[in-house]
Amino acid sequence: MSISGAPESTSVIPPDDFPAQYDPAATEAAIYARWQEAGCFTADASRSARIGGDRQPYVIVMPPPNVTAILHVGHGLNGSVQDVLVRWARMKGLETLWLPGMDHAGIATQNVVEKQLAAEGLSRNDLGREKFVERTAAFVKETGGVILQQLKSIGASADWSRAAYTFSPELSVAVREAFVRLYERGLIYRGHRVIHWCPRCLTSLSDEEAEGQETTGALYHLSYPLADDPTKSITVATTRPETMFGDVAVAVNPADERYQAMIGKNVILPILNLPIPVIADDYADPAFGTGVVKITPAHDANDFEVGRRHELPMPIVIDANGNMNEEADAAGRVPPELRGVDRFEARERVVVMLERAGNLVKKEPHQHSVRHCYRCDTVVEPRLSDQWFVRMAPLAEPALEAARTGRVRILPEKWVGVYEHWMTNIRDWNISRQIWWGHRVPVWYCKECDPPQNVIASREDLTACPFCGCDVVQDEDVLDTWFSSALWPMSTLGWPNDESTDLRAFYPTDVLVTAPEILFFWVARMIMMGYAFKGDAPFHSVYLHGTARDTQGRKMSKSLGNGIDPMDVVNLYGADALRYTLIAGMGLGSDVFLDPSDLDKSFATGRNFATKLWNIGRFLLMNVGSDDVRPFAGLKTEELGRADAWILDRLDAAIRECDRAIGPMKPADDMWRPEELASGLRLNEYAETARRFVWNELADWYVEANKARLLTAGDDQQVARSVLVHVFDQALRLLHPIVPFVSEALWQRLPGHVDGTFLATSSWPIARDVAADERPAQFELIKEIVEAMRRVRAEYAIAPGKSIDAFAVVAPATRRTLEEEVALLGRLARTTLGFVDTAPEGAAANVILAGGTELVIPLAGLIDVKKECEKLSTELTNLEKQLASLVSRLENPGFLARARADVVESERAKRDEWTTRRDLLRTRFEGLCGKA
RNA sequence: GGGCGAAUAGCUCAGCUGGUUAGAGCGCCUGUCUUACACACAGGAUGUCGGGGGUUCGAAUCCCUCUUCGCCCACCA
């Protein structure tokens, strides 16, 4: 198939400049390069109205992907959403900044490098801290940042000149500043307590990093004999019998009748034969298990609290690697045969030992949540240690208020409740990690000074104690990666330098787009830090998008092997196909389902749409040519045909709908009004509206209606060329944020395109404000007539080549204005259409259109009269039934009294229309089929 | 265990504050290579809007309840 079949006179575009088949691979990279050369995505701080410029700023900070990450569909989804928003804002004339960057991803990156070392038979300790950090930095420098390149190939219009990195010198300054300020305000403290410990990563984790997984384990009932009467015993229930060596007490509820006599007595810890006290504490729940809980303060966060309340010792019996071992306060507690044994292995063996000793009462299956390391999935071990914490309650207060007052809008709204719940029950944040890759805790210890002077948090590296001048040592720990991420919107713009141009021009930012999983990891903490250091929220909107899932609803992941590589999609169908499919397929907050085994089907929507768009462009260029086009603005209203008036009307409607779907860009006066909290950011509605306009209105009707006009030289041809080019130009603008490449490629080829201008930086369409006129409605009538004729043809299986005659019975005034236009459109249905005042006699297909217009198609010899009668009969019956129910509604006093006036009005209009139709149908029926 | 959300065409979902003959994409059926497009065009079929109650003149839409799925949180060992 080539365009050689096209009439020579209109074939003005050489095939090599406008291939018949859209080729994204050949188009996209070149276009992206030109955008970058032209600086289309580089934001100019001096234009921000906040520092005296002429434009409102619009800023999105990109959730920084891990520096080692490779693009997956989740990133594709996230990036596409942000890119749609920033491209939209840019076209709306705002000074738009999409600030990209990467996260050094402490534990994750360290794990990658440690794995490499392991392959060489080395551990990080073999290298030592300094060498290890050097090696990791080199690895990151060498291989990191792949994902940023990949984001470019999906069209991300980020300002790469501002790309940031959480571990850069600049951002490290911000991290230190934040730490020291919080420390000085008493919001960071060092605590000795039970935290989540990953025995594989050998570091502590925050509550959020230790993810619970429902697991079927066992609940073991163990009997601990009484010290003063070994014939009696008390039964405790536990899921972790191996921790018994760390038991220092058993607790019962003070109100529990059953155990009143035991409180204060001692029981004997089996195997070890150690006496431990029975204590009373509210923590013991009489309703759970036996009502008795063993207390292991060093290996359970709750037991730790109990231990503190009762001033109990806290022996550690499991070491950092998760093996049974005697550590602090545990001398003689771990039996020699278990020393060095893995905790799970030990569990089995302890159970056997207890069983032999007769202390195992029973074992029952038990469902409970076991926490795993979010980076390596190892079962987390609660461990007693010294860690740094952030006091969260004071920080959470303004952040919570922000969501309540409308300063920050969270979409979809269902997350607001989750956010509130978390914020009101917030717990302190463990920010220290026992790894090497990350921001080292900026705290130095002096051995000579007395507390509190011996602990110094400092913005500068210290070599000597500022108080006594002697040597100091820096804390060994590094900070949680998320501590630096929490500062992201500020630190990337220049904070802590409050005078920084970018910070003044672009902070606070506008929308944060991310996945709901990291609402607490990241989003909530950014809001808190924003208030803590800048006194304001870092953005006014949080958009939480869905997850990419496979056809079985499973989350796409590397480990499951059910992922889709976005680069495959880009290579096969182009970035636009990927973007359109993702954006159109994702309702607010709902997940996107894709079939990894059938990319062709999964991305058909986007691919087909890009192709369609390309073909409209081809038609336009082949038929409009490259000769000068009359400027649209110079056209007089009366020069426009009905089709022109109609498509312009549809365009205005589409523009309005798209604007409404994406929603208000910013809150007025920095506060969302209640009714705005749930509105906007419906990107799928925007995509659907734009698609419908371009495909179903522009291509299916306007282009078809214009074919004849464009071939007939004259004034009207010039009008048609002008309107077509204008409407397509506007349509490309409307679509550009979703499908930037193909729209740009086409826009650059439009007649009259000025070299060096880009669709990416052109203006967003504005709906006209014009007086209503009757022509769009008249075109709708033509459309209906054509559709009716097609239906009749299909129904009676009239051969495609065979022309038929039809008559439309319309009001004389309308008829006069319709005739010429319908003549042009007649070919659409291969029908000769005439207009008459009354229907002709004889057999005919009869269609009643909206508004009471009757279409009569005399089909002598073509139709089966009996079939037609049956059809008329059922149509008539249905209509009468519907009409009856409508009439009864309109006669219902309750309805008339309570329904809104406009509803009543429209119901009445509908009744009148249906009545007319019913009468026409009845006449037709009686004429054709007789009274029978 | 607490909280939140969802259930609409074979599949993925729209249907906003109650009033439409309940929609879209993909899939399916029937025609068509009509000079931009077969990744297309034209036409078509398919839904007791999860079950049951209720409020109302009127419910896919509001309330209650049940069922089934998701998600978030949680110290019941």
Side-chain angles (χ1 to χ4, degrees):
Chain A
M1 188 68 208
S2 76
I3 59 167
S4 59
E8 270 174 50
S9 60
T10 59
S11 181
V12 294
I13 305 301
D16 56 335
D17 187 46
F18 210 138
Q21 181 69 47
Y22 176 54
D23 181 4
T27 313
E28 294 181 347
I31 289 182
Y32 197 91
R34 291 181 54 208
W35 282 332
Q36 277 215 278
E37 280 161 31
C40 293
F41 311 147
T42 311
D44 180 353
S46 71
R47 296 197 69 168
S48 166
R50 291 195 188 134
I51 55 170
D54 58 343
R55 292 173 161 190
Q56 282 299 313
Y58 187 84
V59 186
I60 291 184
V61 290
M62 178 188 291
N66 289 357
V67 67
T68 56
I70 306 286
L71 194 77
H72 58 66
V73 199
H75 297 121
L77 203 88
N78 180 256
S80 298
V81 170
Q82 293 174 79
D83 200 43
V84 168
L85 294 176
V86 296
R87 283 182 184 272
W88 177 61
R90 197 174 287 126
M91 292 179 77
K92 281 262 188 185
L94 282 79
E95 192 55 37
T96 302
L97 168 61
W98 184 15
L99 204 156
M102 289 181 298
D103 195 299
H104 67 285
I107 301 176
T109 306
Q110 173 151 338
N111 281 352
V112 172
V113 175
E114 285 196 84
K115 235 176 246 170
Q116 287 182 349
L117 288 178
E120 299 164 26
L122 296 169
S123 78
R124 75 193 207 207
N125 290 310
D126 295 331
L127 267 70
R129 183 166 192 151
E130 205 174 318
K131 281 263 160 43
F132 179 83
V133 170
E134 267 172 32
R135 171 156 177 160
T136 309
F139 169 73
V140 160
K141 199 172 174 192
E142 212 174 290
T143 63
V146 176
I147 192 165
L148 297 187
Q149 291 307 315
Q150 293 177 312
L151 281 168
K152 290 180 187 172
S153 54
I154 68 164
S157 65
D159 184 348
W160 304 106
S161 71
R162 285 180 166 87
Y165 178 44
T166 51
F167 207 12
S168 68
E170 297 81 13
L171 270 70
S172 299
V173 168
V175 165
R176 249 189 209 199
E177 181 68 29
F179 184 97
V180 174
R181 280 202 209 173
L182 290 174
Y183 183 81
E184 286 169 354
R185 287 191 222 165
L187 291 171
I188 283 184
Y189 64 93
R190 188 148 173 84
H192 180 71
R193 57 174 69 176
V194 170
I195 43 76
H196 305 293
W197 179 267
C198 175
R200 206 215 60 83
C201 300
L202 296 176
T203 180
S204 68
L205 300 169
S206 67
D207 294 342
E208 290 71 33
E209 289 170 321
E211 295 175 334
Q213 285 175 19
E214 276 303 312
T215 313
T216 307
L219 190 60
Y220 301 87
H221 292 247
L222 313 178
S223 69
Y224 288 12
L226 266 78
D228 55 2
D229 182 1
T231 62
K232 288 186 185 155
S233 70
I234 201 165
T235 302
V236 301
T238 180
T239 53
R240 305 195 52 203
E242 73 279 11
T243 63
M244 62 164 283
F245 303 117
D247 286 2
V248 293
V250 297
V252 299
N253 194 287
D256 195 331
E257 305 273 321
R258 293 171 290 179
Y259 303 110
Q260 288 299 322
M262 314 260 189
I263 297 171
K265 291 188 173 174
N266 279 342
V267 292
I268 300 294
L269 191 56
I271 302 176
L272 297 185
N273 289 318
L274 271 179
I276 54 173
V278 178
I279 58 171
D281 195 285
D282 284 334
Y283 165 61
D285 177 0
F288 185 87
T290 57
V292 187
V293 54
K294 65 190 207 53
I295 301 300
T296 322
H299 295 285
D300 184 286
N302 300 302
D303 292 8
F304 172 77
E305 294 300 328
V306 176
R308 269 228 289 231
R309 281 199 285 275
H310 296 267
E311 294 178 347
L312 299 168
M314 302 188 174
I316 298 176
V317 296
I318 299 174
D319 67 19
N321 297 299
N323 297 327
M324 305 304 295
N325 260 319
E326 298 182 352
E327 292 202 357
D329 303 328
R333 277 186 169 256
V334 178
E337 67 268 33
L338 287 179
R339 283 186 202 155
V341 173
D342 171 78
R343 54 198 163 139
F344 297 111
E345 165 79 25
R347 181 177 303 170
E348 309 281 319
R349 287 168 59 176
V350 167
V351 170
V352 173
M353 288 163 82
L354 289 167
E355 200 167 12
R356 285 210 192 113
N359 295 100
L360 182 65
V361 179
K362 66 173 170 178
K363 170 186 172 181
E364 55 188 21
H366 182 63
Q367 269 261 314
H368 63 146
S369 173
V370 176
R371 290 192 183 251
H372 291 64
C373 172
Y374 84 133
R375 279 297 160 209
C376 71
D377 209 39
T378 302
V379 173
V380 161
E381 185 63 40
R383 182 172 169 82
L384 184 62
S385 63
D386 289 314
Q387 303 289 343
W388 289 97
F389 294 88
V390 177
R391 215 180 290 284
M392 297 300 265
L395 293 169
E397 219 168 282
L400 185 55
E401 197 61 14
R404 287 180 175 156
T405 56
R407 171 65 187 110
V408 175
R409 163 179 85 155
I410 300 177
L411 287 168
E413 273 186 300
K414 64 174 176 182
W415 289 103
V416 176
V418 178
Y419 176 86
E420 287 215 14
H421 183 260
W422 190 76
M423 285 297 220
T424 46
N425 297 291
I426 199 158
R427 295 191 296 166
D428 287 354
W429 174 19
N430 171 208
I431 50 167
S432 45
R433 297 290 174 274
Q434 288 66 50
I435 56 172
W436 290 344
W437 181 243
H439 303 280
R440 196 148 165 192
V441 173
V443 166
W444 283 261
Y445 301 99
C446 173
K447 282 189 192 119
E448 301 302 319
C449 291
D450 291 326
Q453 286 190 0
N454 63 333
V455 179
I456 311 123
S458 169
R459 290 168 177 86
E460 310 295 332
D461 281 352
L462 292 185
T463 49
C465 175
F467 301 107
C468 71
C470 63
D471 285 354
V472 288
V473 287
Q474 187 173 3
D475 195 292
E476 291 293 321
D477 292 352
V478 302
L479 292 167
D480 183 358
T481 287
W482 297 99
F483 187 85
S484 53
S485 312
L487 307 170
W488 188 245
M490 298 181 291
S491 60
T492 52
L493 289 170
W495 187 87
N497 176 10
D498 286 315
E499 295 312 306
S500 139
T501 310
D502 272 3
L503 194 64
R504 287 189 302 134
F506 296 125
Y507 189 91
T509 71
D510 290 87
V511 185
L512 186 92
V513 179
T514 193
E517 294 99 275
I518 54 175
L519 181 58
F520 305 129
F521 265 112
W522 191 44
V523 181
R525 288 170 183 162
M526 278 191 288
I527 299 176
M528 291 187 261
M529 293 302 169
Y531 278 101
F533 297 117
K534 293 294 289 177
D536 194 5
F539 30 72
H540 57 66
S541 295
V542 175
Y543 176 103
L544 300 168
H545 60 242
T547 310
R549 296 181 185 279
D550 67 12
T551 43
Q552 293 165 54
R554 295 176 309 179
K555 193 170 168 175
M556 287 191 176
S557 74
K558 245 191 291 186
S559 51
L560 277 173
N562 64 343
I564 289 177
D565 183 350
M567 300 319 288
D568 286 347
V569 180
V570 168
N571 292 331
L572 285 167
Y573 317 117
D576 291 328
L578 173 77
R579 295 166 60 114
Y580 185 86
T581 304
L582 294 176
I583 296 292
M586 188 177 56
L588 186 67
S590 71
D591 295 338
V592 187
F593 291 80
L594 298 164
D595 185 351
S597 64
D598 192 350
L599 295 184
D600 220 50
K601 186 182 164 189
S602 294
F603 294 94
T605 324
R607 181 203 54 185
N608 295 357
F609 182 62
T611 305
K612 184 70 181 181
L613 206 52
W614 181 255
N615 281 311
I616 297 169
R618 253 166 53 85
F619 168 84
L620 185 139
L621 274 102
M622 288 164 92
N623 288 280
V624 169
S626 51
D627 292 346
D628 284 352
V629 173
R630 279 185 63 184
F632 174 77
L635 292 182
K636 295 192 194 74
T637 316
E638 59 270 24
E639 287 183 282
L640 300 177
R642 265 167 296 278
D644 301 327
W646 176 80
I647 195 65
L648 290 167
D649 176 71
R650 299 323 304 151
L651 173 64
D652 288 338
I655 294 168
R656 292 198 179 94
E657 264 185 70
C658 288
D659 275 332
R660 194 160 39 80
I662 319 179
M665 185 171 285
K666 287 169 178 279
D669 306 323
D670 290 340
M671 279 294 171
W672 291 105
R673 278 183 247 114
E675 68 273 17
E676 289 173 333
L677 282 172
S679 70
L681 298 177
R682 265 62 173 186
L683 300 190
N684 60 325
E685 286 178 24
Y686 154 47
E688 169 55 21
T689 300
R691 188 204 65 83
R692 198 206 57 229
F693 172 70
V694 168
W695 200 318
N696 301 126
E697 295 175 336
L698 178 58
D700 289 350
W701 288 96
Y702 187 67
V703 164
E704 293 301 332
N706 260 347
K707 281 182 170 167
R709 290 171 78 197
L710 289 168
L711 289 173
T712 316
D715 289 346
D716 190 53
Q717 183 193 40
Q718 295 310 315
V719 172
R721 289 175 79 230
S722 174
V723 177
L724 180 57
V725 170
H726 170 75
V727 172
F728 193 52
D729 168 280
Q730 298 284 298
L732 291 174
R733 289 169 196 252
L734 219 43
L735 282 163
H736 180 259
I738 312 177
V739 285
F741 291 109
V742 69
S743 57
E744 181 78 73
L746 290 165
W747 195 78
Q748 303 257 337
R749 288 171 160 93
L750 286 181
H753 170 254
V754 179
D755 215 33
T757 59
F758 293 91
L759 178 56
T761 49
S762 65
S763 62
W764 183 255
I766 298 170
R768 300 167 309 160
D769 191 14
V770 292
D773 84 35
E774 72 282 9
R775 287 176 303 177
Q778 289 174 352
F779 189 84
E780 286 290 340
L781 177 60
I782 296 169
K783 193 162 162 275
E784 254 194 281
I785 291 172
V786 170
E787 281 167 339
M789 292 190 297
R790 286 174 179 159
R791 246 178 285 131
V792 169
R793 294 187 67 103
E795 185 154 353
Y796 293 105
I798 296 163
K802 190 174 176 77
S803 188
I804 59 167
D805 298 322
F807 299 95
V809 185
V810 297
T814 314
R815 186 215 309 176
R816 263 203 319 281
T817 62
L818 286 177
E819 278 173 345
E820 84 234 39
E821 210 106 23
V822 171
L824 293 174
L825 281 163
R827 61 181 294 277
L828 290 182
R830 290 188 183 243
T831 302
T832 309
L833 187 66
F835 293 89
V836 294
D837 294 324
T838 53
E841 299 293 319
N846 176 291
V847 184
I848 313 291
L849 307 172
T853 303
E854 184 184 11
L855 182 68
V856 186
I857 304 182
L859 298 167
L862 289 174
I863 66 160
D864 180 344
V865 175
K866 216 172 106 191
K867 196 174 147 196
E868 181 62 17
C869 286
E870 276 166 19
K871 210 189 110 200
L872 280 175
S873 164
T874 53
E875 213 178 314
L876 196 52
T877 318
N878 286 341
L879 186 58
E880 274 171 346
K881 235 180 356 198
Q882 281 161 9
L883 190 56
S885 99
L886 183 59
V887 167
S888 82
R889 190 187 311 167
L890 279 165
E891 283 168 356
N892 186 322
F895 172 74
L896 294 172
R898 274 168 245 183
R900 284 205 322 264
D902 58 315
V903 172
V904 176
E905 206 38 59
S906 80
E907 297 286 271
R908 280 205 177 111
K910 200 155 64 181
R911 178 195 57 193
D912 295 345
E913 190 185 313
W914 288 4
T915 308
T916 317
R917 264 176 82 176
R918 197 253 336 256
D919 294 345
L920 283 166
L921 265 182
R922 197 176 272 164
T923 317
R924 201 79 225 144
F925 180 76
E926 284 164 3
L928 188 63
C929 316
K931 289 277 179 188

